[in-house]
Amino acid sequence: MAHRVLSGMRPTGKLHFGHFHGVLANWLKLQEEYECFFFVADWHALTTDYANPANIKDNIREMVIDWLSVGIDPSKATIFRQSSIKEHAELHVLLSMITPLPWLERNPTYKEQIEAMKEKDLLTFGFLGYPVLQTSDIIIYKASKVPVGIDQAPHLELSREITRRFNHFYGEVFPEPQTLLTAIPKVLGTDGRKMSKSYNNSIFLSDAPEEIDKKIRTMMTDTARKLRTDAGNPDVCPLFLTFHTLYSNEETINWVREGCTKALIGCIECKKSVIPKVLASIEPVQKRRRELEADPGKITEILKAGAKKASQVAQETMAHVRHAMGLE
Ligand code: TRP
Ligand code: SF4
């Protein structure tokens, strides 16, 4: 059977360059090669934001606009919302029957997240069951490949274990999902830390060109290079590691390497050499965004059509599952 690829994102609103280079660039390639299902994990958003769900609707919209603006194509990939396909919840319940609690409790991501989001009460049944719901998302489409970053690898490992356990009890219903580990380039934010919405250091795909220009101009560089006459080191410079690495050609990179390490160029000059390339690459994306914003019904329509396709597959799988478990 040809590989089916599935991946999801929690609706966090507008996406930044980190999401683009880390996730979407990969999805763009995958949609050319495989049958792809890309979905908005809105129930997963509730595992942490249950007390304040007011933004989820807008966040879904903004995120899907970004997906489409960068070129995720509903004629190639099936795009939908998790909550539109109620079968995910049914399968989640059934998987919850067979998932041993200790598997969930010793999941390293679980403990880290609780620690990282101390301001929220995450000692809920839903949050503990996050990987069970994620397993349901994946196997309900019999997806064999799941592209995720390394941070999601423990979840995927759990999904494989839950799948094996299901097949052990009820027969070979599901293929074991394989992790398609994406080599994620390091995209650093304006303060030199990993680009992340929660650090307030992000450059968004939808930022106005002047805003992008300003953010890059003020982005952190090699902090040891205090004066124009100090030599710098591109290999520890966040601006270089992110923007030159992703957007500059070899010639420019060599020019920066030599100019920086010999103090022949200043940081502003260095930044100016890459900003136009970043802006040129984002221009068509922003043009598509404006078109989508001008046509509010379009996103709803695309999600509806995607849900229709996803629903057919999910219903078929659930008929198989109910039969295997003696429920029908
Ligand atoms: N947990 C994923 C994230 O935070 C989102 C997600 C939910 C997902 N279900 C999935 C990813 C299924 C891949 C497959 O990014
Ligand atoms: Fe970074 Fe360029 Fe400044 Fe060197 S010259 S520290 S690479 S911004």
Side-chain angles (χ1 to χ4, degrees), residues 95 98-100 103 106 135 139 156-178:
L95 295 178
I98 65 164
T99 305
W103 290 10
R106 64 168 184 251
T135 306
I139 67 179
L156 259 291
E157 198 45 57
L158 254 170
S159 290
R160 265 198 299 281
E161 280 169 329
I162 296 170
T163 306
R164 277 200 288 274
R165 195 163 157 89
F166 185 99
N167 288 344
H168 168 75
F169 286 133
Y170 314 113
E172 289 291 317
V173 175
F174 296 111
E176 234 178 79
Q178 303 301 318

Side-chain angles (χ1 to χ4, degrees), residues 6-10 39 41 44 130 134 137-138 146 148 152:
L6 172 133
S7 201
M9 255 193 231
R10 274 170 299 163
F39 75 98
H44 276 110
Y130 188 113
Q134 180 158 344
D137 300 335
I138 298 167
V146 184
V148 290
Q152 289 285 312

Side-chain angles (χ1 to χ4, degrees), residues 187-229:
V187 178
L188 303 172
T190 49
D191 61 357
R193 292 186 289 174
K194 180 182 167 184
M195 194 179 287
S196 160
K197 216 167 188 174
S198 51
Y199 291 158
N200 241 327
N201 65 358
S202 299
I203 304 177
F204 293 95
L205 301 176
S206 49
D207 278 344
E210 310 79 62
E211 181 83 20
I212 295 177
D213 178 273
K214 191 172 141 210
K215 285 181 178 176
I216 299 182
R217 270 172 204 259
T218 51
M219 181 163 175
M220 185 188 261
T221 59
D222 173 2
T223 45
R225 189 173 189 213
K226 294 215 164 47
L227 302 172
R228 166 73 176 74
T229 46

